[in-house]
Amino acid sequence: MEAAELDTAQPVRILVYSDNPQTRTAVISALGPRPHPDLPPVEYTEVATAPVVVQRLDAGAADLVILDGEATPAGGLGLARQLKDEIADCPPVLVLTGRRDDAWLADWSRAEAAVPHPLDPFELGSAVIGLLRTKSS
């Protein structure tokens, strides 16, 4: 199996990064245990610091990464760009932006998708499902 393929027999591993535990909880609650019936169930890994994100991705521990652009001290937008530069076979990245007008920053970060705060569960779910379907094809 290529690194870019999603094994539908295994749970999808989603890494959720934010220094704010309420943001991590909001993401996980919005997506739930299975964002779509055609996709496998999800295993979430919550991460509060950028170095741990890099460590986990170096180990190949995620199929999808959700990064909070409003996190401090390392924001998710800069972290997304770093991951795309430094991680071989980096999984798809979704960034949470401060507002809809920050979509250009998401483009700069090389993230495959962006969803603005405040989080809309339908918009977040749609973006995640789209990324996971793209990864599995």
Side-chain angles (χ1 to χ4, degrees):
M1 178 175 85
E2 290 182 26
E5 290 181 12
L6 181 63
D7 182 352
T8 55
Q10 298 295 319
V12 175
R13 301 165 304 157
I14 298 179
L15 185 145
V16 180
Y17 163 71
S18 179
D19 66 314
N20 184 337
Q22 294 168 332
T23 299
R24 295 191 309 264
T25 298
V27 168
I28 293 167
S29 295
L31 295 174
R34 191 174 203 140
H36 192 276
D38 293 343
L39 296 171
V42 175
E43 280 181 4
Y44 294 100
T45 300
E46 294 184 57
V47 177
T49 65
V52 175
V53 172
V54 174
Q55 177 187 30
R56 296 284 172 100
L57 292 183
D58 274 339
D63 299 307
L64 175 69
V65 182
I66 300 174
L67 304 173
D68 182 7
E70 301 297 298
T72 59
L77 296 162
L79 182 56
R81 189 170 176 100
Q82 175 186 346
L83 296 173
K84 293 299 182 176
D85 285 344
E86 297 178 2
I87 304 292
D89 298 320
C90 184
V93 174
L94 181 148
V95 291
L96 306 174
T97 60
R99 56 199 177 107
R100 197 163 297 280
D101 290 344
D102 291 338
W104 70 273
L105 287 168
D107 289 340
W108 169 86
S109 76
R110 298 191 199 133
E112 285 81 0
V115 174
H117 284 286
L119 294 179
D120 175 334
F122 294 107
E123 187 174 1
L124 179 62
S126 178
V128 166
I129 291 165
L131 291 173
L132 292 175
R133 283 190 173 147
T134 300
K135 185 170 178 67
S136 66
S137 57

